[in-house]
């Protein structure tokens, strides 16, 4: 299984989780874990997702989520789990 971590940060508003989840579903991506917090009206969320079915189109997924973030006025970053695994070894 290939995994990625998606982080979302921005002003809190209705529909952020739904919009990101819908975009992932449209790309056949399964959400494995999700955590979200609200502090001083700033929304933060991290998701661990299975990208096995879109591994060869990862850049397209990143661009799609980044564009979604722009439309919602939030920042969305998508990174492969291997980056975090490598950093933890260093």
């Amino acid at each position: 299984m290939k995994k990625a971590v998606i982080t979302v940060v921005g002003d809190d508003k209705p529909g952020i989780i739904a919009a990101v989840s819908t975009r992932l579903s449209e790309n056949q991506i399964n959400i494995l874990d999700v955590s979200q917090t609200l502090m001083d009206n700033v929304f933060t969320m991290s998701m661990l997702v299975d990208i096995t079915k879109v591994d060869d189109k990862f850049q397209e997924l990143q661009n799609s989520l980044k564009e979604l973030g722009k439309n919602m006025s939030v920042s969305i970053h998508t990174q492969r789990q291997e980056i975090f695994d490598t950093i933890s070894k260093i």
Side-chain angles (χ1 to χ4, degrees):
M1 176 184 314
K2 298 198 178 196
K3 299 175 187 173
V5 176
I6 299 170
T7 57
V8 181
V9 178
D11 290 336
D12 187 37
K13 62 186 81 161
I16 297 172
I17 296 173
V20 174
S21 297
T22 298
R23 183 65 51 94
L24 295 173
S25 177
E26 292 168 352
N27 286 281
Q28 302 299 308
I29 295 172
N30 188 34
I31 299 169
L32 303 172
D33 192 19
V34 62
S35 174
Q36 63 93 24
T37 303
L38 183 62
M39 292 179 100
D40 294 329
N41 211 32
V42 176
F43 175 86
T44 61
M45 177 176 69
S46 59
M47 288 182 158
L48 180 65
V49 298
D50 177 358
I51 58 166
T52 304
K53 292 184 179 179
V54 295
D55 187 45
D56 58 335
K57 297 181 181 182
F58 185 74
Q59 185 66 46
E60 291 176 28
L61 173 64
Q62 282 181 311
N63 293 339
S64 175
L65 289 170
K66 195 172 279 193
E67 186 65 30
L68 175 65
K70 286 180 185 176
N71 293 339
M72 297 188 71
S73 300
V74 297
S75 175
I76 301 178
H77 295 278
T78 309
Q79 298 179 341
R80 294 177 186 269
Q81 183 185 18
E82 291 95 27
I83 292 172
F84 297 97
D85 292 343
T86 302
I87 290 171
S88 70
K89 291 177 185 175
I90 295 175

